[in-house]
PDB file of all heavy atoms in Angstrom:
ATOM      1  N   ASN A 142      26.704   5.268 -16.927  1.00 74.00           N
ATOM      2  CA  ASN A 142      26.327   3.860 -16.794  1.00 74.00           C
ATOM      3  C   ASN A 142      27.565   3.023 -16.506  1.00 74.00           C
ATOM      4  O   ASN A 142      28.051   2.324 -17.385  1.00 74.00           O
ATOM      5  CB  ASN A 142      25.659   3.364 -18.083  1.00 74.00           C
ATOM      6  CG  ASN A 142      24.458   4.186 -18.449  1.00 74.00           C
ATOM      7  OD1 ASN A 142      23.539   4.320 -17.663  1.00 74.00           O
ATOM      8  ND2 ASN A 142      24.465   4.761 -19.636  1.00 74.00           N
ATOM      9  N   PRO A 143      28.097   3.089 -15.275  1.00 70.00           N
ATOM     10  CA  PRO A 143      29.322   2.346 -14.994  1.00 70.00           C
ATOM     11  C   PRO A 143      29.148   0.830 -15.071  1.00 70.00           C
ATOM     12  O   PRO A 143      30.103   0.118 -15.275  1.00 70.00           O
ATOM     13  CB  PRO A 143      29.701   2.782 -13.583  1.00 70.00           C
ATOM     14  CG  PRO A 143      28.466   3.354 -12.994  1.00 70.00           C
ATOM     15  CD  PRO A 143      27.619   3.829 -14.128  1.00 70.00           C
ATOM     16  N   ASN A 144      27.925   0.339 -14.925  1.00 71.00           N
ATOM     17  CA  ASN A 144      27.658  -1.099 -15.007  1.00 71.00           C
ATOM     18  C   ASN A 144      26.649  -1.348 -16.126  1.00 71.00           C
ATOM     19  O   ASN A 144      25.462  -1.539 -15.862  1.00 71.00           O
ATOM     20  CB  ASN A 144      27.110  -1.631 -13.677  1.00 71.00           C
ATOM     21  CG  ASN A 144      28.095  -1.463 -12.554  1.00 71.00           C
ATOM     22  OD1 ASN A 144      29.283  -1.657 -12.742  1.00 71.00           O
ATOM     23  ND2 ASN A 144      27.610  -1.068 -11.393  1.00 71.00           N
ATOM     24  N   PRO A 145      27.094  -1.373 -17.386  1.00 64.00           N
ATOM     25  CA  PRO A 145      26.149  -1.511 -18.495  1.00 64.00           C
ATOM     26  C   PRO A 145      25.468  -2.876 -18.558  1.00 64.00           C
ATOM     27  O   PRO A 145      24.433  -3.012 -19.193  1.00 64.00           O
ATOM     28  CB  PRO A 145      27.013  -1.279 -19.736  1.00 64.00           C
ATOM     29  CG  PRO A 145      28.396  -1.594 -19.301  1.00 64.00           C
ATOM     30  CD  PRO A 145      28.470  -1.281 -17.840  1.00 64.00           C
ATOM     31  N   HIS A 146      26.026  -3.887 -17.866  1.00 66.00           N
ATOM     32  CA  HIS A 146      25.412  -5.214 -17.916  1.00 66.00           C
ATOM     33  C   HIS A 146      24.124  -5.282 -17.097  1.00 66.00           C
ATOM     34  O   HIS A 146      23.332  -6.194 -17.258  1.00 66.00           O
ATOM     35  CB  HIS A 146      26.405  -6.278 -17.431  1.00 66.00           C
ATOM     36  CG  HIS A 146      26.864  -6.060 -16.027  1.00 66.00           C
ATOM     37  ND1 HIS A 146      27.859  -5.150 -15.711  1.00 66.00           N
ATOM     38  CD2 HIS A 146      26.463  -6.603 -14.859  1.00 66.00           C
ATOM     39  CE1 HIS A 146      28.036  -5.168 -14.405  1.00 66.00           C
ATOM     40  NE2 HIS A 146      27.209  -6.039 -13.862  1.00 66.00           N
ATOM     41  N   ILE A 147      23.926  -4.301 -16.216  1.00 65.00           N
ATOM     42  CA  ILE A 147      22.691  -4.270 -15.430  1.00 65.00           C
ATOM     43  C   ILE A 147      21.666  -3.460 -16.214  1.00 65.00           C
ATOM     44  O   ILE A 147      21.813  -2.265 -16.387  1.00 65.00           O
ATOM     45  CB  ILE A 147      22.924  -3.636 -14.049  1.00 65.00           C
ATOM     46  CG1 ILE A 147      23.956  -4.434 -13.265  1.00 65.00           C
ATOM     47  CG2 ILE A 147      21.616  -3.525 -13.286  1.00 65.00           C
ATOM     48  CD1 ILE A 147      24.355  -3.789 -11.956  1.00 65.00           C
ATOM     49  N   ALA A 148      20.662  -4.115 -16.693  1.00 57.00           N
ATOM     50  CA  ALA A 148      19.631  -3.435 -17.478  1.00 57.00           C
ATOM     51  C   ALA A 148      18.309  -3.506 -16.734  1.00 57.00           C
ATOM     52  O   ALA A 148      17.939  -4.541 -16.196  1.00 57.00           O
ATOM     53  CB  ALA A 148      19.503  -4.085 -18.852  1.00 57.00           C
ATOM     54  N   PHE A 149      17.636  -2.402 -16.711  1.00 62.00           N
ATOM     55  CA  PHE A 149      16.339  -2.355 -16.055  1.00 62.00           C
ATOM     56  C   PHE A 149      15.250  -2.390 -17.117  1.00 62.00           C
ATOM     57  O   PHE A 149      15.285  -1.631 -18.075  1.00 62.00           O
ATOM     58  CB  PHE A 149      16.201  -1.076 -15.215  1.00 62.00           C
ATOM     59  CG  PHE A 149      17.196  -1.014 -14.101  1.00 62.00           C
ATOM     60  CD1 PHE A 149      18.347  -0.263 -14.215  1.00 62.00           C
ATOM     61  CD2 PHE A 149      16.988  -1.720 -12.936  1.00 62.00           C
ATOM     62  CE1 PHE A 149      19.268  -0.210 -13.191  1.00 62.00           C
ATOM     63  CE2 PHE A 149      17.898  -1.680 -11.904  1.00 62.00           C
ATOM     64  CZ  PHE A 149      19.044  -0.921 -12.031  1.00 62.00           C
ATOM     65  N   GLN A 150      14.293  -3.273 -16.924  1.00 62.00           N
ATOM     66  CA  GLN A 150      13.188  -3.369 -17.856  1.00 62.00           C
ATOM     67  C   GLN A 150      11.994  -2.644 -17.284  1.00 62.00           C
ATOM     68  O   GLN A 150      11.749  -2.683 -16.079  1.00 62.00           O
ATOM     69  CB  GLN A 150      12.825  -4.828 -18.111  1.00 62.00           C
ATOM     70  CG  GLN A 150      13.944  -5.598 -18.780  1.00 62.00           C
ATOM     71  CD  GLN A 150      13.547  -7.047 -18.973  1.00 62.00           C
ATOM     72  OE1 GLN A 150      12.509  -7.487 -18.518  1.00 62.00           O
ATOM     73  NE2 GLN A 150      14.387  -7.782 -19.668  1.00 62.00           N
ATOM     74  N   LYS A 151      11.248  -2.005 -18.170  1.00 71.00           N
ATOM     75  CA  LYS A 151      10.042  -1.323 -17.729  1.00 71.00           C
ATOM     76  C   LYS A 151       8.945  -2.352 -17.512  1.00 71.00           C
ATOM     77  O   LYS A 151       8.807  -3.302 -18.259  1.00 71.00           O
ATOM     78  CB  LYS A 151       9.589  -0.311 -18.776  1.00 71.00           C
ATOM     79  CG  LYS A 151      10.499   0.879 -18.873  1.00 71.00           C
ATOM     80  CD  LYS A 151       9.919   1.896 -19.822  1.00 71.00           C
ATOM     81  CE  LYS A 151      10.795   3.120 -19.864  1.00 71.00           C
ATOM     82  NZ  LYS A 151      10.291   4.118 -20.778  1.00 71.00           N
ATOM     83  N   VAL A 152       8.172  -2.147 -16.485  1.00 76.00           N
ATOM     84  CA  VAL A 152       7.052  -3.031 -16.192  1.00 76.00           C
ATOM     85  C   VAL A 152       5.868  -2.538 -17.015  1.00 76.00           C
ATOM     86  O   VAL A 152       5.498  -1.367 -16.923  1.00 76.00           O
ATOM     87  CB  VAL A 152       6.707  -3.015 -14.690  1.00 76.00           C
ATOM     88  CG1 VAL A 152       5.500  -3.882 -14.401  1.00 76.00           C
ATOM     89  CG2 VAL A 152       7.901  -3.447 -13.877  1.00 76.00           C
ATOM     90  N   PRO A 153       5.281  -3.410 -17.839  1.00 79.00           N
ATOM     91  CA  PRO A 153       4.158  -2.956 -18.666  1.00 79.00           C
ATOM     92  C   PRO A 153       2.933  -2.643 -17.808  1.00 79.00           C
ATOM     93  O   PRO A 153       2.736  -3.238 -16.747  1.00 79.00           O
ATOM     94  CB  PRO A 153       3.898  -4.134 -19.599  1.00 79.00           C
ATOM     95  CG  PRO A 153       4.476  -5.310 -18.899  1.00 79.00           C
ATOM     96  CD  PRO A 153       5.609  -4.802 -18.058  1.00 79.00           C
ATOM     97  N   ARG A 154       2.152  -1.686 -18.292  1.00 81.00           N
ATOM     98  CA  ARG A 154       0.907  -1.343 -17.599  1.00 81.00           C
ATOM     99  C   ARG A 154      -0.078  -2.489 -17.767  1.00 81.00           C
ATOM    100  O   ARG A 154      -0.104  -3.163 -18.798  1.00 81.00           O
ATOM    101  CB  ARG A 154       0.306  -0.080 -18.197  1.00 81.00           C
ATOM    102  CG  ARG A 154       1.231   1.110 -18.039  1.00 81.00           C
ATOM    103  CD  ARG A 154       0.551   2.341 -18.540  1.00 81.00           C
ATOM    104  NE  ARG A 154       0.246   3.102 -17.329  1.00 81.00           N
ATOM    105  CZ  ARG A 154      -0.618   4.059 -17.249  1.00 81.00           C
ATOM    106  NH1 ARG A 154      -1.325   4.397 -18.298  1.00 81.00           N
ATOM    107  NH2 ARG A 154      -0.816   4.697 -16.128  1.00 81.00           N
ATOM    108  N   PRO A 155      -0.915  -2.720 -16.768  1.00 77.00           N
ATOM    109  CA  PRO A 155      -1.911  -3.782 -16.901  1.00 77.00           C
ATOM    110  C   PRO A 155      -2.885  -3.459 -18.030  1.00 77.00           C
ATOM    111  O   PRO A 155      -3.199  -2.304 -18.282  1.00 77.00           O
ATOM    112  CB  PRO A 155      -2.633  -3.792 -15.556  1.00 77.00           C
ATOM    113  CG  PRO A 155      -1.944  -2.813 -14.690  1.00 77.00           C
ATOM    114  CD  PRO A 155      -0.970  -2.049 -15.498  1.00 77.00           C
ATOM    115  N   THR A 156      -3.316  -4.487 -18.692  1.00 80.00           N
ATOM    116  CA  THR A 156      -4.269  -4.281 -19.784  1.00 80.00           C
ATOM    117  C   THR A 156      -5.634  -3.896 -19.223  1.00 80.00           C
ATOM    118  O   THR A 156      -5.932  -4.117 -18.045  1.00 80.00           O
ATOM    119  CB  THR A 156      -4.408  -5.566 -20.630  1.00 80.00           C
ATOM    120  OG1 THR A 156      -4.829  -6.613 -19.765  1.00 80.00           O
ATOM    121  CG2 THR A 156      -3.106  -5.928 -21.292  1.00 80.00           C
ATOM    122  N   GLU A 157      -6.421  -3.333 -20.086  1.00 81.00           N
ATOM    123  CA  GLU A 157      -7.750  -2.888 -19.666  1.00 81.00           C
ATOM    124  C   GLU A 157      -8.588  -4.100 -19.254  1.00 81.00           C
ATOM    125  O   GLU A 157      -8.630  -5.111 -19.945  1.00 81.00           O
ATOM    126  CB  GLU A 157      -8.430  -2.177 -20.844  1.00 81.00           C
ATOM    127  CG  GLU A 157      -9.489  -1.206 -20.410  1.00 81.00           C
ATOM    128  CD  GLU A 157      -9.993  -0.380 -21.573  1.00 81.00           C
ATOM    129  OE1 GLU A 157      -9.177   0.261 -22.250  1.00 81.00           O
ATOM    130  OE2 GLU A 157     -11.216  -0.404 -21.797  1.00 81.00           O
ATOM    131  N   GLY A 158      -9.201  -4.031 -18.124  1.00 76.00           N
ATOM    132  CA  GLY A 158     -10.048  -5.109 -17.634  1.00 76.00           C
ATOM    133  C   GLY A 158      -9.289  -6.242 -16.970  1.00 76.00           C
ATOM    134  O   GLY A 158      -9.874  -7.280 -16.647  1.00 76.00           O
ATOM    135  N   SER A 159      -8.001  -6.068 -16.758  1.00 73.00           N
ATOM    136  CA  SER A 159      -7.221  -7.153 -16.157  1.00 73.00           C
ATOM    137  C   SER A 159      -7.661  -7.443 -14.723  1.00 73.00           C
ATOM    138  O   SER A 159      -7.512  -8.561 -14.253  1.00 73.00           O
ATOM    139  CB  SER A 159      -5.732  -6.823 -16.188  1.00 73.00           C
ATOM    140  OG  SER A 159      -5.468  -5.674 -15.408  1.00 73.00           O
ATOM    141  N   HIS A 160      -8.187  -6.455 -14.045  1.00 71.00           N
ATOM    142  CA  HIS A 160      -8.618  -6.665 -12.666  1.00 71.00           C
ATOM    143  C   HIS A 160      -9.849  -7.567 -12.572  1.00 71.00           C
ATOM    144  O   HIS A 160     -10.191  -8.057 -11.512  1.00 71.00           O
ATOM    145  CB  HIS A 160      -8.898  -5.315 -11.993  1.00 71.00           C
ATOM    146  CG  HIS A 160     -10.031  -4.564 -12.630  1.00 71.00           C
ATOM    147  ND1 HIS A 160      -9.888  -3.898 -13.841  1.00 71.00           N
ATOM    148  CD2 HIS A 160     -11.307  -4.401 -12.237  1.00 71.00           C
ATOM    149  CE1 HIS A 160     -11.044  -3.337 -14.159  1.00 71.00           C
ATOM    150  NE2 HIS A 160     -11.924  -3.621 -13.191  1.00 71.00           N
ATOM    151  N   LEU A 161     -10.512  -7.809 -13.701  1.00 73.00           N
ATOM    152  CA  LEU A 161     -11.705  -8.641 -13.701  1.00 73.00           C
ATOM    153  C   LEU A 161     -11.388 -10.127 -13.877  1.00 73.00           C
ATOM    154  O   LEU A 161     -12.257 -10.968 -13.721  1.00 73.00           O
ATOM    155  CB  LEU A 161     -12.665  -8.194 -14.807  1.00 73.00           C
ATOM    156  CG  LEU A 161     -13.164  -6.742 -14.684  1.00 73.00           C
ATOM    157  CD1 LEU A 161     -13.975  -6.369 -15.907  1.00 73.00           C
ATOM    158  CD2 LEU A 161     -13.983  -6.580 -13.415  1.00 73.00           C
ATOM    159  N   ARG A 162     -10.129 -10.413 -14.205  1.00 71.00           N
ATOM    160  CA  ARG A 162      -9.758 -11.803 -14.440  1.00 71.00           C
ATOM    161  C   ARG A 162      -9.695 -12.561 -13.124  1.00 71.00           C
ATOM    162  O   ARG A 162      -9.072 -12.113 -12.169  1.00 71.00           O
ATOM    163  CB  ARG A 162      -8.416 -11.884 -15.154  1.00 71.00           C
ATOM    164  CG  ARG A 162      -8.468 -11.265 -16.522  1.00 71.00           C
ATOM    165  CD  ARG A 162      -7.186 -11.565 -17.274  1.00 71.00           C
ATOM    166  NE  ARG A 162      -7.158 -10.714 -18.451  1.00 71.00           N
ATOM    167  CZ  ARG A 162      -6.139  -9.942 -18.796  1.00 71.00           C
ATOM    168  NH1 ARG A 162      -5.049  -9.930 -18.076  1.00 71.00           N
ATOM    169  NH2 ARG A 162      -6.213  -9.200 -19.867  1.00 71.00           N
ATOM    170  N   VAL A 163     -10.295 -13.723 -13.097  1.00 70.00           N
ATOM    171  CA  VAL A 163     -10.314 -14.525 -11.874  1.00 70.00           C
ATOM    172  C   VAL A 163      -9.325 -15.685 -11.913  1.00 70.00           C
ATOM    173  O   VAL A 163      -9.072 -16.305 -10.897  1.00 70.00           O
ATOM    174  CB  VAL A 163     -11.735 -15.080 -11.590  1.00 70.00           C
ATOM    175  CG1 VAL A 163     -12.659 -13.959 -11.196  1.00 70.00           C
ATOM    176  CG2 VAL A 163     -12.244 -15.875 -12.749  1.00 70.00           C
ATOM    177  N   HIS A 164      -8.764 -15.949 -13.082  1.00 71.00           N
ATOM    178  CA  HIS A 164      -7.868 -17.096 -13.201  1.00 71.00           C
ATOM    179  C   HIS A 164      -6.422 -16.753 -12.832  1.00 71.00           C
ATOM    180  O   HIS A 164      -5.536 -17.595 -12.923  1.00 71.00           O
ATOM    181  CB  HIS A 164      -7.921 -17.658 -14.633  1.00 71.00           C
ATOM    182  CG  HIS A 164      -7.420 -16.679 -15.646  1.00 71.00           C
ATOM    183  ND1 HIS A 164      -8.219 -15.684 -16.138  1.00 71.00           N
ATOM    184  CD2 HIS A 164      -6.225 -16.542 -16.246  1.00 71.00           C
ATOM    185  CE1 HIS A 164      -7.522 -14.965 -17.003  1.00 71.00           C
ATOM    186  NE2 HIS A 164      -6.312 -15.476 -17.086  1.00 71.00           N
ATOM    187  N   ILE A 165      -6.159 -15.535 -12.391  1.00 67.00           N
ATOM    188  CA  ILE A 165      -4.799 -15.144 -12.021  1.00 67.00           C
ATOM    189  C   ILE A 165      -4.485 -15.714 -10.646  1.00 67.00           C
ATOM    190  O   ILE A 165      -5.246 -15.555  -9.699  1.00 67.00           O
ATOM    191  CB  ILE A 165      -4.651 -13.616 -12.019  1.00 67.00           C
ATOM    192  CG1 ILE A 165      -4.887 -13.073 -13.426  1.00 67.00           C
ATOM    193  CG2 ILE A 165      -3.273 -13.205 -11.514  1.00 67.00           C
ATOM    194  CD1 ILE A 165      -4.840 -11.570 -13.518  1.00 67.00           C
ATOM    195  N   LEU A 166      -3.338 -16.366 -10.554  1.00 73.00           N
ATOM    196  CA  LEU A 166      -2.897 -16.955  -9.296  1.00 73.00           C
ATOM    197  C   LEU A 166      -2.412 -15.852  -8.353  1.00 73.00           C
ATOM    198  O   LEU A 166      -1.881 -14.838  -8.794  1.00 73.00           O
ATOM    199  CB  LEU A 166      -1.774 -17.949  -9.546  1.00 73.00           C
ATOM    200  CG  LEU A 166      -2.127 -19.141 -10.440  1.00 73.00           C
ATOM    201  CD1 LEU A 166      -0.881 -19.942 -10.749  1.00 73.00           C
ATOM    202  CD2 LEU A 166      -3.163 -20.013  -9.753  1.00 73.00           C
ATOM    203  N   PRO A 167      -2.582 -16.051  -7.070  1.00 74.00           N
ATOM    204  CA  PRO A 167      -2.081 -15.048  -6.120  1.00 74.00           C
ATOM    205  C   PRO A 167      -0.555 -15.014  -6.158  1.00 74.00           C
ATOM    206  O   PRO A 167       0.099 -16.007  -6.501  1.00 74.00           O
ATOM    207  CB  PRO A 167      -2.600 -15.531  -4.770  1.00 74.00           C
ATOM    208  CG  PRO A 167      -2.905 -16.963  -4.955  1.00 74.00           C
ATOM    209  CD  PRO A 167      -3.242 -17.159  -6.405  1.00 74.00           C
ATOM    210  N   PHE A 168       0.004 -13.872  -5.779  1.00 76.00           N
ATOM    211  CA  PHE A 168       1.450 -13.700  -5.752  1.00 76.00           C
ATOM    212  C   PHE A 168       2.050 -14.665  -4.737  1.00 76.00           C
ATOM    213  O   PHE A 168       1.563 -14.769  -3.603  1.00 76.00           O
ATOM    214  CB  PHE A 168       1.787 -12.249  -5.381  1.00 76.00           C
ATOM    215  CG  PHE A 168       3.204 -11.881  -5.677  1.00 76.00           C
ATOM    216  CD1 PHE A 168       3.604 -11.618  -6.975  1.00 76.00           C
ATOM    217  CD2 PHE A 168       4.149 -11.808  -4.666  1.00 76.00           C
ATOM    218  CE1 PHE A 168       4.903 -11.269  -7.260  1.00 76.00           C
ATOM    219  CE2 PHE A 168       5.458 -11.471  -4.935  1.00 76.00           C
ATOM    220  CZ  PHE A 168       5.837 -11.190  -6.246  1.00 76.00           C
ATOM    221  N   PRO A 169       3.089 -15.404  -5.127  1.00 79.00           N
ATOM    222  CA  PRO A 169       3.655 -16.399  -4.199  1.00 79.00           C
ATOM    223  C   PRO A 169       4.351 -15.727  -3.008  1.00 79.00           C
ATOM    224  O   PRO A 169       4.786 -14.597  -3.091  1.00 79.00           O
ATOM    225  CB  PRO A 169       4.666 -17.152  -5.067  1.00 79.00           C
ATOM    226  CG  PRO A 169       5.005 -16.212  -6.156  1.00 79.00           C
ATOM    227  CD  PRO A 169       3.786 -15.375  -6.395  1.00 79.00           C
ATOM    228  N   ARG A 170       4.457 -16.476  -1.937  1.00 86.00           N
ATOM    229  CA  ARG A 170       5.144 -15.988  -0.739  1.00 86.00           C
ATOM    230  C   ARG A 170       6.645 -15.893  -1.033  1.00 86.00           C
ATOM    231  O   ARG A 170       7.208 -16.718  -1.755  1.00 86.00           O
ATOM    232  CB  ARG A 170       4.923 -16.955   0.413  1.00 86.00           C
ATOM    233  CG  ARG A 170       3.534 -16.872   0.978  1.00 86.00           C
ATOM    234  CD  ARG A 170       3.734 -16.661   2.475  1.00 86.00           C
ATOM    235  NE  ARG A 170       2.557 -16.459   3.235  1.00 86.00           N
ATOM    236  CZ  ARG A 170       2.124 -15.274   3.615  1.00 86.00           C
ATOM    237  NH1 ARG A 170       2.735 -14.197   3.210  1.00 86.00           N
ATOM    238  NH2 ARG A 170       1.093 -15.161   4.389  1.00 86.00           N
ATOM    239  N   ILE A 171       7.256 -14.892  -0.450  1.00 88.00           N
ATOM    240  CA  ILE A 171       8.695 -14.683  -0.650  1.00 88.00           C
ATOM    241  C   ILE A 171       9.466 -15.509   0.368  1.00 88.00           C
ATOM    242  O   ILE A 171       9.176 -15.490   1.567  1.00 88.00           O
ATOM    243  CB  ILE A 171       9.043 -13.191  -0.508  1.00 88.00           C
ATOM    244  CG1 ILE A 171       8.352 -12.401  -1.618  1.00 88.00           C
ATOM    245  CG2 ILE A 171      10.539 -12.965  -0.536  1.00 88.00           C
ATOM    246  CD1 ILE A 171       8.559 -10.911  -1.526  1.00 88.00           C
ATOM    247  N   ASN A 172      10.462 -16.232  -0.136  1.00 90.00           N
ATOM    248  CA  ASN A 172      11.320 -17.044   0.708  1.00 90.00           C
ATOM    249  C   ASN A 172      12.433 -16.141   1.248  1.00 90.00           C
ATOM    250  O   ASN A 172      13.352 -15.760   0.525  1.00 90.00           O
ATOM    251  CB  ASN A 172      11.905 -18.193  -0.114  1.00 90.00           C
ATOM    252  CG  ASN A 172      12.778 -19.111   0.706  1.00 90.00           C
ATOM    253  OD1 ASN A 172      13.211 -18.771   1.801  1.00 90.00           O
ATOM    254  ND2 ASN A 172      13.039 -20.290   0.159  1.00 90.00           N
ATOM    255  N   GLU A 173      12.360 -15.790   2.526  1.00 91.00           N
ATOM    256  CA  GLU A 173      13.305 -14.849   3.122  1.00 91.00           C
ATOM    257  C   GLU A 173      14.748 -15.367   3.064  1.00 91.00           C
ATOM    258  O   GLU A 173      15.684 -14.600   2.853  1.00 91.00           O
ATOM    259  CB  GLU A 173      12.912 -14.545   4.563  1.00 91.00           C
ATOM    260  CG  GLU A 173      11.646 -13.724   4.672  1.00 91.00           C
ATOM    261  CD  GLU A 173      11.274 -13.432   6.118  1.00 91.00           C
ATOM    262  OE1 GLU A 173      12.184 -13.215   6.943  1.00 91.00           O
ATOM    263  OE2 GLU A 173      10.071 -13.425   6.393  1.00 91.00           O
ATOM    264  N   GLY A 174      14.928 -16.643   3.226  1.00 92.00           N
ATOM    265  CA  GLY A 174      16.274 -17.219   3.167  1.00 92.00           C
ATOM    266  C   GLY A 174      16.899 -17.039   1.796  1.00 92.00           C
ATOM    267  O   GLY A 174      18.074 -16.687   1.672  1.00 92.00           O
ATOM    268  N   ARG A 175      16.085 -17.288   0.760  1.00 91.00           N
ATOM    269  CA  ARG A 175      16.594 -17.143  -0.612  1.00 91.00           C
ATOM    270  C   ARG A 175      16.912 -15.677  -0.929  1.00 91.00           C
ATOM    271  O   ARG A 175      17.909 -15.377  -1.588  1.00 91.00           O
ATOM    272  CB  ARG A 175      15.554 -17.698  -1.608  1.00 91.00           C
ATOM    273  CG  ARG A 175      15.975 -17.639  -3.040  1.00 91.00           C
ATOM    274  CD  ARG A 175      17.165 -18.553  -3.324  1.00 91.00           C
ATOM    275  NE  ARG A 175      17.543 -18.419  -4.712  1.00 91.00           N
ATOM    276  CZ  ARG A 175      18.792 -18.382  -5.146  1.00 91.00           C
ATOM    277  NH1 ARG A 175      19.785 -18.547  -4.306  1.00 91.00           N
ATOM    278  NH2 ARG A 175      19.050 -18.244  -6.420  1.00 91.00           N
ATOM    279  N   VAL A 176      16.098 -14.751  -0.427  1.00 90.00           N
ATOM    280  CA  VAL A 176      16.349 -13.323  -0.632  1.00 90.00           C
ATOM    281  C   VAL A 176      17.679 -12.937  -0.009  1.00 90.00           C
ATOM    282  O   VAL A 176      18.490 -12.237  -0.624  1.00 90.00           O
ATOM    283  CB  VAL A 176      15.183 -12.470  -0.059  1.00 90.00           C
ATOM    284  CG1 VAL A 176      15.552 -11.000  -0.022  1.00 90.00           C
ATOM    285  CG2 VAL A 176      13.913 -12.680  -0.854  1.00 90.00           C
ATOM    286  N   GLN A 177      17.946 -13.421   1.196  1.00 93.00           N
ATOM    287  CA  GLN A 177      19.212 -13.123   1.867  1.00 93.00           C
ATOM    288  C   GLN A 177      20.401 -13.699   1.095  1.00 93.00           C
ATOM    289  O   GLN A 177      21.442 -13.063   0.979  1.00 93.00           O
ATOM    290  CB  GLN A 177      19.205 -13.659   3.308  1.00 93.00           C
ATOM    291  CG  GLN A 177      18.323 -12.880   4.252  1.00 93.00           C
ATOM    292  CD  GLN A 177      18.717 -11.415   4.334  1.00 93.00           C
ATOM    293  OE1 GLN A 177      19.895 -11.070   4.323  1.00 93.00           O
ATOM    294  NE2 GLN A 177      17.720 -10.545   4.401  1.00 93.00           N
ATOM    295  N   GLU A 178      20.229 -14.918   0.560  1.00 93.00           N
ATOM    296  CA  GLU A 178      21.297 -15.528  -0.250  1.00 93.00           C
ATOM    297  C   GLU A 178      21.599 -14.669  -1.468  1.00 93.00           C
ATOM    298  O   GLU A 178      22.766 -14.418  -1.790  1.00 93.00           O
ATOM    299  CB  GLU A 178      20.868 -16.930  -0.716  1.00 93.00           C
ATOM    300  CG  GLU A 178      20.889 -17.993   0.344  1.00 93.00           C
ATOM    301  CD  GLU A 178      20.357 -19.321  -0.201  1.00 93.00           C
ATOM    302  OE1 GLU A 178      20.478 -19.574  -1.412  1.00 93.00           O
ATOM    303  OE2 GLU A 178      19.800 -20.094   0.600  1.00 93.00           O
ATOM    304  N   LEU A 179      20.553 -14.226  -2.172  1.00 91.00           N
ATOM    305  CA  LEU A 179      20.743 -13.398  -3.363  1.00 91.00           C
ATOM    306  C   LEU A 179      21.407 -12.063  -3.027  1.00 91.00           C
ATOM    307  O   LEU A 179      22.291 -11.594  -3.757  1.00 91.00           O
ATOM    308  CB  LEU A 179      19.403 -13.159  -4.068  1.00 91.00           C
ATOM    309  CG  LEU A 179      18.770 -14.383  -4.726  1.00 91.00           C
ATOM    310  CD1 LEU A 179      17.368 -14.071  -5.208  1.00 91.00           C
ATOM    311  CD2 LEU A 179      19.635 -14.869  -5.886  1.00 91.00           C
ATOM    312  N   LEU A 180      20.993 -11.460  -1.914  1.00 90.00           N
ATOM    313  CA  LEU A 180      21.619 -10.209  -1.496  1.00 90.00           C
ATOM    314  C   LEU A 180      23.095 -10.415  -1.187  1.00 90.00           C
ATOM    315  O   LEU A 180      23.948  -9.605  -1.578  1.00 90.00           O
ATOM    316  CB  LEU A 180      20.900  -9.637  -0.272  1.00 90.00           C
ATOM    317  CG  LEU A 180      19.534  -9.017  -0.508  1.00 90.00           C
ATOM    318  CD1 LEU A 180      18.879  -8.649   0.818  1.00 90.00           C
ATOM    319  CD2 LEU A 180      19.649  -7.790  -1.388  1.00 90.00           C
ATOM    320  N   GLN A 181      23.417 -11.504  -0.500  1.00 91.00           N
ATOM    321  CA  GLN A 181      24.809 -11.785  -0.159  1.00 91.00           C
ATOM    322  C   GLN A 181      25.638 -12.038  -1.414  1.00 91.00           C
ATOM    323  O   GLN A 181      26.768 -11.572  -1.515  1.00 91.00           O
ATOM    324  CB  GLN A 181      24.876 -12.988   0.800  1.00 91.00           C
ATOM    325  CG  GLN A 181      26.199 -13.127   1.497  1.00 91.00           C
ATOM    326  CD  GLN A 181      26.544 -11.903   2.328  1.00 91.00           C
ATOM    327  OE1 GLN A 181      25.697 -11.320   2.980  1.00 91.00           O
ATOM    328  NE2 GLN A 181      27.787 -11.501   2.285  1.00 91.00           N
ATOM    329  N   GLU A 182      25.077 -12.759  -2.388  1.00 90.00           N
ATOM    330  CA  GLU A 182      25.771 -12.994  -3.660  1.00 90.00           C
ATOM    331  C   GLU A 182      26.058 -11.675  -4.365  1.00 90.00           C
ATOM    332  O   GLU A 182      27.147 -11.463  -4.887  1.00 90.00           O
ATOM    333  CB  GLU A 182      24.926 -13.892  -4.572  1.00 90.00           C
ATOM    334  CG  GLU A 182      24.930 -15.350  -4.225  1.00 90.00           C
ATOM    335  CD  GLU A 182      24.015 -16.144  -5.150  1.00 90.00           C
ATOM    336  OE1 GLU A 182      23.796 -15.718  -6.300  1.00 90.00           O
ATOM    337  OE2 GLU A 182      23.512 -17.188  -4.698  1.00 90.00           O
TER     338      GLU A 182
END
């Protein structure tokens, strides 16, 4: 672990019946410019 400050978190499994929920907002659009800025940083 040469870079211990980088920690990866596990993504929790969806709860049972989560696909039936209608109040979940759609995934937002990705801002390509911001992604490029973060990659460059």
Side-chain angles (χ1 to χ4, degrees):
N142 303 303
N144 298 320
H146 60 280
I147 300 174
F149 297 100
Q150 296 178 354
K151 289 186 177 179
V152 177
R154 298 185 108 198
T156 58
E157 204 172 305
S159 63
H160 64 284
L161 300 174
R162 296 189 192 129
V163 290
H164 64 278
I165 297 177
L166 299 173
F168 195 77
R170 286 233 176 261
I171 296 177
N172 182 343
E173 290 180 37
R175 182 66 182 140
V176 169
Q177 288 302 322
E178 286 176 28
L179 292 172
L180 286 173
Q181 196 59 40
E182 283 177 27

